């Protein structure tokens, strides 16, 4: 967890409990900027506000987050659930003794685990790249020319064989029975 000292203070853990060589003591500005950009690009305005608050405060109790954002509990909870579902925000629940009567209450603390955040962003970008590549492949293999009468469709390489050599004009005729000029996406090539 980046910003582990703040998270440790937030969750009431001492420095000995948080000793881990992989934990950063301060969040680099690049990661903060990445979190803000990703939130603005792919999420709702409420989600963006929640991410901004978590970037600024590192670890926030849910009640404090509600007060900080001046939003209703259900709206903030919905945004946190959405961000947790996408593994961008983590939540830890902690029991705390409140008041002189010694009753314990459970409080939820929200924070961004930047390591998993970066991994999620990499994964999503990879999936987007794959989707774009697949769409590109499908576009290359799509049939572009169609006969207006019988509806026969031809790809770019098939159209070369349909060139009408008898007429001498640059038109492509349907190879089925029609022998009509074929159309390019609804526009006839005559």
């Amino acid at each position: 967890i980046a910003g582990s000292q703040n998270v440790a203070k937030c969750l009431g853990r001492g420095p000995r409990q948080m000793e881990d060589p992989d934990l950063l003591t301060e969040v680099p500005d690049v990661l903060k900027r990445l979190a803000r950009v990703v939130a603005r690009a792919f999420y709702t305005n409420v989600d963006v506000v929640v991410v901004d608050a978590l970037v600024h405060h590192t670890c926030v109790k849910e009640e404090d987050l509600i007060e900080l954002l001046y939003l209703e509990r259900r709206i903030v909870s919905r945004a946190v659930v959405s961000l947790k579902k996408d593994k961008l925000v983590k939540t830890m629940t902690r029991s705390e003794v409140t008041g002189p009567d010694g009753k314990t209450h459970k409080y939820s603390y929200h924070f961004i685990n930047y390591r998993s955040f970066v991994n999620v962003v990499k994964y999503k970008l990879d999936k987007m790249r794959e989707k774009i590549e697949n769409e590109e492949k499908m576009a290359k293999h799509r049939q572009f020319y169609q006969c207006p009468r019988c509806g026969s469709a031809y790809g770019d390489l098939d159209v070369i064989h349909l060139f009408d050599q008898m007429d001498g004009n640059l038109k492509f005729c349907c190879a089925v029975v029609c022998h009509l000029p074929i159309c390019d996406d609804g526009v006839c090539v005559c």
Side-chain angles (χ1 to χ4, degrees):
I1 301 169
S4 62
Q5 289 178 342
N6 291 337
V7 174
K9 286 179 193 174
C10 183
L11 298 176
R13 294 183 183 169
R16 290 183 185 170
Q17 292 172 322
M18 294 296 287
E19 288 177 7
D20 187 348
D22 293 337
L23 296 178
L24 301 173
T25 56
E26 192 172 316
V27 180
D29 288 336
V30 173
L31 291 178
K32 290 180 180 180
R33 201 169 337 129
L34 175 68
R36 288 183 170 129
V37 168
V38 167
R40 281 169 176 71
F42 300 108
Y43 293 94
T44 66
N45 291 339
V46 176
D47 296 341
V48 170
V49 173
V50 169
V51 169
D52 282 347
L54 293 175
V55 164
H56 186 266
H57 294 287
T58 308
C59 180
V60 182
K61 190 190 294 189
E62 187 162 343
E63 287 73 22
D64 295 341
L65 187 62
I66 292 165
E67 272 184 44
L68 181 69
L69 300 178
Y70 296 104
L71 294 172
E72 295 177 19
R73 177 178 296 279
R74 65 181 178 81
I75 294 173
V76 172
S77 295
R78 189 179 305 144
V80 168
V81 166
S82 168
L83 294 167
K84 280 174 55 176
K85 184 184 86 178
D86 290 343
K87 299 181 181 175
L88 301 179
V89 171
K90 301 288 183 185
T91 300
M92 292 190 86
T93 305
R94 181 164 182 243
S95 297
E96 294 180 2
V97 177
T98 56
D101 57 356
K103 290 186 177 180
T104 59
H105 294 282
K106 288 190 176 188
Y107 293 105
S108 295
Y109 290 87
H110 305 293
F111 58 95
I112 297 174
N113 181 334
Y114 286 91
R115 174 171 289 168
S116 68
F117 187 90
V118 169
N119 290 336
V120 167
V121 169
K122 285 179 184 179
Y123 175 78
K124 288 187 178 214
L125 287 174
D126 189 51
K127 287 296 178 188
M128 288 172 59
R129 181 190 53 77
E130 283 179 9
K131 184 177 179 183
I132 290 170
E133 286 176 356
N134 288 339
E135 287 176 2
E136 231 176 51
K137 286 178 186 177
M138 295 302 293
K140 285 181 183 178
H141 298 301
R142 194 177 326 164
Q143 297 177 340
F144 294 100
Y145 300 94
Q146 187 171 14
C147 176
R149 182 180 292 166
C150 68
S152 297
Y154 302 96
D156 289 341
L157 297 175
D158 298 331
V159 172
I160 295 171
H161 302 293
L162 301 176
F163 180 67
D164 185 13
Q165 296 177 356
M166 297 293 203
D167 193 354
N169 293 331
L170 293 175
K171 65 181 179 181
F172 302 97
C173 295
C174 180
V176 186
V177 181
C178 309
H179 296 294
L180 288 175
I182 59 174
C183 297
D184 175 15
D185 291 335
V187 179
C188 288
V189 184
C190 298

